[in-house]
Amino acid sequence: MIIFATSKIILMTQLQKYTWLIETIRRAGKISHRDLSYKWEHCKDLSDCKPLHRATFNRWRDAIFSQFGIIIDCQRTGGYLYFIANPEDIDENELKKWMLDSFSVGNLIGENLSLKDRILVDQIPSGRDHLTTILEAMKENKVVVIEYRAFNYSQSYKIPVEPYCVKLHENRWYMLGHNLNKDTIRIYGLDRMESVEITQSEYKIPKDFSAADYFSASSSTRTPNRRKSLSEPMPTTRPTSTRCRCTTANTSLRITANTLTLNCILHPPMIL
């Protein structure tokens, strides 16, 4: 357990370094190794005030291309300036852009911890503790059993669900999946989950399912071939009254966020 935790910390530190390098070059447009090393030395939390040696820089370049597909090229005319050769690969990939932006913000705040009393953030339960388990189940196409407590419910209940996709919306993670008990497609907030267990049962995502289309009210919707298509909409506020239902047929809901884009038309929506 200690070895695993240490390895995870090392991995996160390396990712922070790679992200720092990508973002520094992106902001500069073109930059020399000398200027990169100078900026790196002054990023004390990551560099320990040590210069960025060329051999280390070249290793990071290779790792960034291997892990992110981002090419750091060199313009030899005019002073050996480094630049991002394929910026469109970042800008057009929403997940990659969100990930790099998140790490960049984290690095930026880490460099300015002396301003901790003047940098304010909302403490919102994100449910990310269960995200690793759900993503593992999605990769292996395994059914999960979630212990879930909906809004205004005093007790939790267990549900077998086929996880289709996840989405970050207003700092909360949500899972869209097929509820096997009710044969419906629903959205579950990860912060409402008390436990998540991966089962040995496998499933197949319907061929006509698209995470990018499922939440879009403007594009043609391709819903999974199920008996019903009901969903628990992502709440914008916590309901304070008893159980609420919206029964207007073909109600459309558009949800946007700077992460995985999920789209859907609800028929009809339901708030639990």
Side-chain angles (χ1 to χ4, degrees), residues 212-251:
D213 292 341
Y214 199 82
F215 274 90
S216 177
S218 58
S219 62
S220 58
T221 304
R222 293 181 293 168
T223 57
N225 184 20
R226 299 293 184 191
R227 181 173 55 83
K228 294 181 181 179
S229 181
L230 297 180
S231 191
E232 296 179 5
M234 299 177 189
T236 55
T237 58
R238 292 174 180 263
T240 56
S241 60
T242 57
R243 188 171 181 175
C244 171
R245 294 176 181 268
C246 175
T247 56
T248 305
N250 298 324
T251 301

Side-chain angles (χ1 to χ4, degrees), residues 13 32 78 82 92 122 131 140 176 181 210 216 233:
T13 303
S32 66
Y82 293 93
E92 295 176 4
D122 291 332
L131 185 60
E140 298 179 359
L176 178 106
N181 286 346
S210 168
S216 177

Side-chain angles (χ1 to χ4, degrees), residues 114-142:
S114 61
L115 300 174
K116 63 181 183 299
D117 295 331
R118 297 163 62 187
I119 301 176
L120 307 179
V121 296
D122 291 332
Q123 296 296 328
I124 299 176
S126 66
R128 61 181 176 270
D129 294 339
H130 301 307
L131 185 60
T132 301
T133 305
I134 292 173
L135 292 178
E136 181 181 345
M138 288 170 58
K139 284 193 295 185
E140 298 179 359
N141 285 335
K142 293 290 183 66

Side-chain angles (χ1 to χ4, degrees), residues 3 13 26 35 89 94 100 112 127 157 185 190 207 270:
I3 295 175
T13 303
R26 283 183 70 191
D35 289 340
D89 194 54
E94 293 189 5
L100 292 174
N112 294 277
Y157 47 92
I185 307 302
L190 269 64
K207 294 181 180 180
M270 181 187 301

Side-chain angles (χ1 to χ4, degrees), residues 130 145-148 158 192-197:
H130 301 307
V145 174
I146 63 173
E147 187 172 355
Y148 195 76
K158 291 189 175 182
R192 308 300 300 177
M193 297 179 186
E194 298 184 356
S195 66
V196 180
E197 178 185 353

Side-chain angles (χ1 to χ4, degrees), residues 15-268:
L15 287 175
Q16 287 176 311
K17 293 176 180 178
Y18 300 159
T19 306
W20 177 91
L21 183 60
I22 295 168
E23 190 61 23
T24 302
I25 296 176
R26 283 183 70 191
R27 286 201 305 264
K30 295 180 181 179
I31 188 170
S32 66
H33 173 262
R34 179 179 178 179
D35 289 340
L36 274 173
S37 182
Y38 176 81
K39 289 179 179 291
W40 175 249
E41 277 190 79
H42 287 77
C43 182
K44 300 177 182 179
D45 290 328
L46 289 176
S47 69
D48 292 328
C49 300
K50 297 177 181 178
L52 179 59
H53 297 294
R54 187 171 293 276
T56 302
F57 169 67
N58 288 330
R59 285 200 304 272
W60 291 4
R61 285 177 67 189
D62 293 340
I64 287 170
F65 175 72
S66 175
Q67 295 185 29
F68 301 107
I70 297 172
I71 303 171
I72 299 176
D73 211 341
C74 179
Q75 174 187 296
R76 285 175 167 73
T77 57
Y80 288 89
L81 301 177
Y82 293 93
F83 63 96
I84 304 296
N86 55 339
E88 69 284 349
D89 194 54
I90 300 174
D91 297 332
E92 295 176 4
N93 187 316
E94 293 189 5
L95 178 58
K96 186 182 295 184
K97 188 174 187 300
W98 170 81
M99 182 178 64
L100 292 174
D101 287 346
S102 298
F103 272 111
S104 298
V105 171
N107 286 345
L108 183 62
I109 292 176
E111 295 170 17
N112 294 277
L113 286 178
S114 61
L115 300 174
K116 63 181 183 299
D117 295 331
R118 297 163 62 187
I119 301 176
L120 307 179
V121 296
D122 291 332
Q123 296 296 328
I124 299 176
S126 66
R128 61 181 176 270
D129 294 339
H130 301 307
L131 185 60
T132 301
T133 305
I134 292 173
L135 292 178
E136 181 181 345
M138 288 170 58
K139 284 193 295 185
E140 298 179 359
N141 285 335
K142 293 290 183 66
V143 174
V144 296
V145 174
I146 63 173
E147 187 172 355
Y148 195 76
R149 184 166 60 86
F151 291 108
N152 288 331
Y153 275 63
S154 59
Q155 295 183 341
S156 60
Y157 47 92
K158 291 189 175 182
I159 322 164
V161 180
E162 297 173 347
Y164 283 1
C165 54
V166 294
K167 176 181 174 60
L168 181 65
H169 174 69
E170 296 183 353
N171 290 333
R172 282 188 168 91
W173 281 101
Y174 294 86
M175 178 188 73
L176 178 106
H178 174 221
N179 182 320
L180 294 176
N181 286 346
K182 297 186 177 180
D183 194 20
T184 60
I185 307 302
R186 298 201 174 186
I187 297 171
Y188 301 96
L190 269 64
D191 58 325
R192 308 300 300 177
M193 297 179 186
E194 298 184 356
S195 66
V196 180
E197 178 185 353
I198 301 177
T199 71
Q200 295 303 312
S201 301
E202 297 184 354
Y203 69 95
K204 292 183 178 180
I205 296 180
K207 294 181 180 180
D208 56 352
F209 173 78
S210 168
D213 292 341
Y214 199 82
F215 274 90
S216 177
S218 58
S219 62
S220 58
T221 304
R222 293 181 293 168
T223 57
N225 184 20
R226 299 293 184 191
R227 181 173 55 83
K228 294 181 181 179
S229 181
L230 297 180
S231 191
E232 296 179 5
M234 299 177 189
T236 55
T237 58
R238 292 174 180 263
T240 56
S241 60
T242 57
R243 188 171 181 175
C244 171
R245 294 176 181 268
C246 175
T247 56
T248 305
N250 298 324
T251 301
S252 298
L253 173 64
R254 176 71 181 261
I255 299 173
T256 59
N258 58 342
T259 178
L260 301 172
T261 304
L262 308 176
N263 302 302
C264 175
I265 294 180
L266 311 179
H267 305 285

